Amino acid sequence: MAASPGARPRVLLPAAPLVVLALLLSALVARPGTAHAAAGPVTDPIPERPAASGIGLTVEEYASFPKTEPPPGPVTDPRLRRHARINYLGELPDRSGRKAVPDLNGKLYLVEDGGTPQVYLDVAAAFSPAFFASRGLGQGFGFVTFDPGFKRNGRFYTVHTELASATTAVPDFRQSAATVYHGIVTEWTADDPSADTFSGTRREILRIGFAGTIHGIQQIDFNPTAGPHDRDRGLLYLAVGDGGQGVRNTEPQNLSLPHGKILRIDPRGSDSANGRYGIPAGNPFTGRPGALGEIYAYGMRDPHRFSWDPGGSHRMYLGHIGQHAVESVYEVRAGDNLGWSEREGAFVFDKTATNPCEQILPLPEDDAKFGYTYPVAAYDHDPPADWNCTSDVGRAVVGGFVYRGRDLPALRGKYVFGDIVDGRLLFADTKDMRRGGKELAQLYDLMLYDASGKRVTLRDLAGNTRVDLHFGRDADGELYLLSKANGKVWKVTGTRKFASCDTGGSRLTHVMDGRNWAPVTPSKWRFPGREAVLAEAGVQRPGPRRPFEYAVLTAGPEYGDVRIDAEVRLDTPVEITNRDVIIVFGYQSDTRFSYVHLSSDNTVYPHNGIFVVDDADRVRVEDQWNGRTGAPPAVTDTGWHEVRVVRCASTGEIAVYADGSKRPLMTAVDTTLTSGRVGFGSFDNIGRLRGLEVSSP
């Protein structure tokens, strides 16, 4: 029976192996798709959700770009009506401090610290009237990258789209279906590389025909970690999508076409079929009959953003946008086959299924023989319970960067990325992103603070529910966030620990004597000396929906900023799935207090979260609840568990830690009750508390 927010059913299940919290919050989560017992479709591909990191990024507005419109129009998709369709920031490799920002609507801007963006080159005007940006989210002036020797040679490269019907040019490659638009890579040579507006020449490098208006050439870039004598120096990588040709499109597996591939070419060579670029001898398919030598890796749907780790072994990471289920990050190496459209992430993709809810299947037992490369990190779409499977939930990964800068030591060695649509910021530790392993790296959520110290979201900063998030990085490795919604760029200037207020100065201990406690029902409690024991389950009382039975600590003052440390144990049998104990804080009366609910279950509204009772039914306030599940279950056995609750009154920040973890299990911001007493209890279970310490300034 499904539980509603106002109901609390008691469900008995057969005994099962216990899963301790430490495992749930470990750095690795089980790789999906490897459980062969399930014969049917997989409805929840990646049950593990990103965990709270307790790390917040502080951002300051860096630049604001002028409003633009997609030429030539008309525009029918409201997602193209952005303030400015900026989608990347990168510093020119000439030590000038100038940063390049392309706008899909056609302008290439340069911006310096504290300056106003200036138009360096009008790409749309240069290719008018064929230039096309009014259909498809990636159409227009898609990307720019500068030759490592730009300061000396003035060369840089762009990718843009043209409407096939508006040009007489013939693509070098095309899909089997009728060509709708062309993706063109152009080499530009500046007469004066130090000038702030472009003057010079251009030549076309490569032209690819696409049969759809999405999933074109997403990114072109040089490997910035390649040294002067490295074989990779000066070679240009191109992320080419599948043209949006649907789930039955097999072209990403076809090595005679560039679609659904990452290509690697030598823009200064001439041994390609069109004679305008070279094919590196070290490419994995060079010289293979029937295969394009340009291909570096294949089997991709929408290879959106890639980057190289400036440290370690300089691994290449790709953010790959999925179909309806899985958003993935891959470590890409030469010759890799990511599997699309036979695979989505680490799952079989059933192209024959007519119901999108039934397209994701477990991997077969003999999967190794196919040689597919699977993600090192991933998250799924977590659709709402009433989702009908035919519509887009609104999830799309945007690849980011491994941070190796100096200003954010808490993120050093972490791959920072996010979701294009809702603007969530995520990271994974590169030490946990292991190719070919049985685990995915654990993902962590990042919080966000503005320059005043106020906690915000990117939706707040962008002023829109659709953020259109992208990332940038400067020559020092520092990070930038971009939004098309309002055409702004923010620089990440620092990190801060969530709920980091000072709780030192005073510590209350040795309070387990019964004289220090005021229970709701004294007869249900025992205070044998070192423990507070709720020996008999509580029952629901009149008034707002709230915990049935608890005891308030009467010793000490009411607390504002406070840290509560204790050990808790649930004495209710583990066969009961909705067991719980609670930690009370901010207690002002029986109908006004906050509490942390520590439960064996995280799948219904009343369980395993942070709640406020304010003369009304308790309201859930923590960040982890998504409408279907919350934080990992906090207490799954009958052992003792360490719990720490930190509440900062001035900011309303609340963090809950378990079993010595340095990362919070739950986080919330709530300023309803800024001070009060602490306590312990449950709804209708039995349990106990020991080792209570209350710290406050």
Side-chain angles (χ1 to χ4, degrees):
M1 180 176 66
S4 67
R8 183 178 169 80
R10 299 179 66 81
V11 182
L12 296 180
L13 294 176
L18 301 178
V19 181
V20 298
L21 181 65
L23 290 177
L24 286 166
L25 292 181
S26 68
L28 301 173
V29 296
R31 180 178 293 281
T34 55
H36 308 295
V42 178
T43 58
D44 188 7
I46 305 176
E48 297 82 8
R49 291 172 47 218
S53 69
I55 299 174
L57 303 182
T58 300
V59 297
E60 295 182 0
E61 186 174 320
Y62 180 79
S64 180
F65 288 77
K67 183 175 176 59
T68 59
E69 293 289 338
V75 175
T76 58
D77 187 341
R79 294 175 298 176
L80 299 183
R81 295 256 179 227
R82 307 272 76 190
H83 179 89
R85 298 170 65 203
I86 54 174
N87 62 358
Y88 172 69
L89 177 148
E91 187 164 332
L92 275 61
D94 61 359
R95 300 184 181 179
S96 67
R98 297 178 296 172
K99 298 169 185 65
V101 179
D103 183 328
L104 281 158
N105 290 336
K107 301 288 199 305
L108 172 59
Y109 296 93
L110 295 184
V111 62
E112 297 184 58
D113 293 353
T116 301
Q118 302 294 324
V119 175
Y120 177 72
L121 171 65
D122 190 337
V123 174
F127 295 105
S128 180
F131 180 88
F132 184 71
S134 58
R135 286 182 61 199
L137 296 181
Q139 300 282 62
F141 169 30
F143 209 85
V144 62
T145 187
F146 288 77
D147 185 285
F150 171 77
K151 183 177 181 179
R152 172 180 44 83
N153 60 38
R155 289 194 294 267
F156 63 98
Y157 297 82
T158 62
V159 60
H160 75 280
T161 55
E162 295 181 3
L163 197 62
S165 60
T167 178
T168 58
V170 177
D172 299 299
F173 304 97
R174 67 181 72 191
Q175 297 186 279
S176 58
T179 300
V180 175
Y181 76 92
H182 300 171
I184 301 99
V185 178
T186 302
E187 177 186 87
W188 305 77
T189 302
D191 296 332
D192 178 5
S194 65
D196 289 331
T197 56
F198 174 78
S199 174
T201 60
R202 72 173 191 257
R203 72 181 184 97
E204 185 173 304
I205 297 291
L206 176 64
R207 180 179 291 256
I208 300 177
F210 293 90
T213 57
I214 57 175
H215 306 174
I217 305 175
Q218 295 285 32
Q219 179 181 352
I220 56 174
D221 222 342
F222 295 96
N223 179 357
T225 69
H229 305 293
D230 194 309
R231 290 188 305 171
D232 218 26
R233 182 78 168 185
L235 299 185
L236 185 64
Y237 288 75
L238 294 76
V240 183
D242 68 357
Q245 289 306 287
V247 298
R248 293 172 179 82
N249 179 24
T250 61
E251 289 174 337
Q253 295 294 316
N254 184 345
L255 292 178
S256 68
L257 289 173
H259 304 84
K261 318 292 195 302
I262 288 179
L263 311 180
R264 182 172 65 173
I265 65 174
D266 179 0
R268 304 304 296 166
S270 60
D271 63 343
S272 62
N274 69 7
R276 301 191 191 111
Y277 61 89
I279 299 175
N283 278 6
F285 303 104
T286 299
R288 178 185 292 192
L292 291 182
E294 291 93 332
I295 296 174
Y296 182 80
Y298 66 109
M300 301 168 200
R301 175 182 182 269
D302 190 7
H304 189 255
R305 289 290 183 268
F306 58 86
S307 64
W308 288 264
D309 182 355
S313 57
H314 305 315
R315 292 182 287 181
M316 179 184 185
Y317 292 110
L318 168 70
H320 185 269
I321 297 177
Q323 175 70 17
H324 267 308
V326 182
E327 303 300 313
S328 303
V329 176
Y330 292 84
E331 180 194 335
V332 179
R333 298 180 186 175
D336 280 350
N337 180 1
L338 277 54
W340 180 255
S341 59
E342 302 298 324
R343 299 288 185 269
E344 180 175 358
F347 297 89
V348 170
F349 186 82
D350 185 0
K351 297 190 292 293
T352 66
T354 57
N355 183 348
C357 282
E358 299 176 354
Q359 290 176 329
I360 300 297
L361 304 176
L363 296 177
E365 292 282 359
D366 62 348
D367 184 66
K369 73 180 184 182
F370 298 105
Y372 295 125
T373 297
Y374 291 129
V376 293
Y379 63 96
D380 66 17
H381 288 191
D382 281 329
D386 59 351
W387 186 54
N388 65 9
C389 295
T390 60
S391 61
D392 188 357
V393 178
R395 302 284 185 271
V397 66
V398 54
F401 301 98
V402 177
Y403 182 76
R404 300 287 182 183
R406 293 176 296 180
D407 295 346
L408 317 174
L411 291 182
R412 199 161 290 135
K414 310 297 192 297
Y415 179 72
V416 181
F417 65 109
D419 190 273
I420 292 174
V421 181
D422 63 19
R424 283 180 300 162
L425 298 171
L426 304 165
F427 76 81
D429 196 316
T430 54
K431 294 183 296 185
D432 302 326
M433 299 169 71
R434 301 171 185 169
R435 275 177 59 104
K438 295 182 179 180
E439 300 89 12
L440 289 169
Q442 173 67 59
L443 300 184
Y444 296 94
D445 284 312
L446 283 166
M447 301 174 184
L448 203 60
Y449 293 85
D450 65 16
S452 70
K454 177 185 176 183
R455 187 180 168 195
V456 294
T457 67
L458 269 169
R459 284 176 165 173
D460 296 329
L461 294 179
N464 199 294
T465 56
R466 183 182 176 91
V467 174
D468 273 327
L469 167 68
H470 288 80
F471 288 87
R473 181 170 61 179
D474 63 24
D476 295 325
E478 302 305 332
L479 299 178
Y480 298 75
L481 310 176
L482 295 78
S483 172
K484 296 178 188 174
N486 59 1
K488 292 185 182 295
V489 177
W490 299 270
K491 183 177 182 179
V492 181
T493 57
T495 60
R496 56 179 290 173
K497 181 181 178 182
F498 184 75
S500 58
C501 55
D502 180 15
T503 55
S506 175
R507 188 173 65 170
L508 184 64
T509 60
H510 306 295
V511 293
M512 303 314 297
D513 189 284
R515 292 174 295 180
N516 296 323
W517 296 85
V520 171
T521 310
S523 63
K524 297 181 183 294
W525 290 80
R526 305 287 184 270
F527 295 92
R530 295 185 178 181
E531 299 178 0
V533 181
L534 176 54
E536 183 181 339
V539 295
Q540 186 171 358
R541 295 173 288 122
R545 184 75 175 183
R546 64 201 188 281
F548 299 168
E549 187 64 40
Y550 57 85
V552 175
L553 180 66
T554 56
E558 294 188 357
Y559 295 99
D561 293 346
V562 65
R563 189 184 77 197
I564 305 166
D565 289 284
E567 292 181 86
V568 300
R569 194 180 87 182
L570 259 165
D571 296 334
T572 299
V574 294
E575 290 81 8
I576 297 175
T577 62
N578 56 3
R579 307 180 312 146
D580 73 84
V581 289
I582 66 164
I583 301 291
V584 173
F585 60 96
Y587 179 87
Q588 297 180 3
S589 73
D590 183 41
T591 58
R592 298 195 76 219
F593 60 92
S594 301
Y595 67 94
V596 175
H597 191 278
L598 305 169
S599 175
S600 295
D601 174 58
N602 71 337
T603 62
V604 294
Y605 181 85
H607 295 176
N608 214 63
I610 303 173
F611 297 83
V612 176
V613 180
D614 187 22
D615 290 328
D617 288 355
R618 42 91 176 103
V619 175
R620 189 162 192 154
V621 296
E622 97 284 351
D623 301 314
Q624 284 62 53
W625 178 251
N626 69 353
R628 302 180 69 179
T629 59
V635 184
T636 60
D637 54 25
T638 57
W640 287 97
H641 292 273
E642 298 176 7
V643 177
R644 170 173 289 179
V645 179
V646 180
R647 196 278 299 274
C648 300
S650 60
T651 62
E653 294 182 340
I654 304 161
V656 180
Y657 301 84
D659 293 326
S661 174
K662 294 182 180 180
R663 302 192 189 279
L665 178 66
M666 307 173 197
T667 57
V669 176
D670 181 80
T671 56
T672 305
L673 305 170
T674 58
S675 65
R677 297 191 174 276
V678 303
F680 169 74
S682 178
F683 270 82
D684 53 356
N685 291 282
I686 56 176
R688 57 191 68 205
L689 175 88
R690 72 182 184 189
L692 177 65
E693 294 184 358
V694 185
S695 303
S696 176

